[in-house]
Each structure stands twice: as structure tokens, then as C-alpha cells.
Amino acid sequence: SGVERVRWAVVMMIRPYCLWRISSHARSKQAADAVAYAREELRVLEQQSSTHRAHLAAGRRVLLTSLADILFRPDSAAARIRAFAPCLGRLDPDFFPTLGADLSEGNQFKVGASVAVYGASLSPLDLGYDVEAGACVAPRDEL
């Protein structure tokens, strides 16, 4: 007879501050005005924190994940998301979307690799990220 009940499940992703260099937009903004860029990053984090609190206050289940985990620990990140929302089915960090089939030009997809391959092409320590600690080790004032 159809859907009788819907349970919200929200997945939120943050980008650790030290990974700003992998974004061409962030690099441009930081080069133009580092202080304004740092303030914008702070505003985004404050908004994400507020959104997270609002979801929890509304009784929604929330999984907070990190772009760093998705890039540098893709299999464990996928397993964590699957455990949180098993209805998603298989999540494959090695999947590479095909233009016209999986996404359109309007998606402005920029990476020419799967999540796993793209993450493996980056050096976490060069970006100031310690994978084992799950934290930035770059100086906080580098923004």
C-alpha cells in the first residue's frame, strides 16, 4: 500500500581546514585575500555546526564524515556510511562515473578518477593531514 513511514538519516561531510589546497576555488580565494577566505571558512563551519545541531534537535539520525576519510580511507569511509544507511546498498570508492550516463555536463565534474584513485594521488602529509591521527597537523594559521 506504499510508504507508511520515513525515517530521516542525514550524512554531513566536513573538509578539514588543511585540505583547502585541493580546491581550486579555495586556492583562488586564499590567494586573493587570505583573511577574508579564513573568515568564510569559519562561517561555513559555523553553519555546518548549526545545521548538525538542528538535525539532532529534530530527532534525526546524523552521520558526520570527513572528506579526508573519504579520500584517504575510502573503504572504511564507505563501510561506515553503509553501516549508517544500509538501504544505500553498495558504495564503491573505485567507481568512476561516465559523462552522459551517471552525470551531466551541468554537474561540472572535475576529477578524472574514482574517489579511491584521486585520494591515492594526493599526499596527506604534504597537505598537512595525518591519516592515522585523523587530524590536520598543518599550522592553524596557514589558512
Side-chain angles (χ1 to χ4, degrees), residues 64-81:
L64 184 60
T65 189
S66 165
L67 176 61
D69 285 341
I70 291 169
L71 291 174
F72 305 128
R73 302 176 70 178
D75 292 324
S76 63
R80 188 168 171 247
I81 294 168

Side-chain angles (χ1 to χ4, degrees), residues 63-116:
L63 174 68
L64 184 60
T65 189
S66 165
L67 176 61
D69 285 341
I70 291 169
L71 291 174
F72 305 128
R73 302 176 70 178
D75 292 324
S76 63
R80 188 168 171 247
I81 294 168
R82 270 194 311 274
F84 177 75
C87 60
L88 289 176
R90 185 170 182 262
L91 297 176
D92 182 4
D94 291 308
F95 173 77
F96 182 75
T98 303
L99 188 63
D102 304 305
L103 51 89
S104 68
E105 293 273 349
N107 294 116
Q108 299 178 355
F109 189 70
K110 295 183 271 185
V111 179
S114 69
V115 169

Side-chain angles (χ1 to χ4, degrees), residues 13-65:
M13 182 178 69
I14 62 161
R15 182 183 72 201
Y17 76 89
C18 57
L19 297 189
W20 67 272
R21 284 179 271 168
I22 67 173
S23 165
S24 61
H25 298 289
R27 287 192 309 270
S28 296
K29 291 177 181 180
Q30 200 272 354
D33 187 339
V35 172
Y37 173 70
R39 286 187 179 128
E40 180 181 339
E41 283 291 293
L42 177 60
R43 184 193 58 74
V44 167
L45 288 171
E46 287 172 339
Q47 179 61 48
Q48 287 176 318
S49 178
S50 174
T51 299
H52 182 257
R53 283 191 308 275
H55 284 308
L56 292 176
R60 296 182 188 119
R61 296 177 26 202
V62 180
L63 174 68
L64 184 60
T65 189

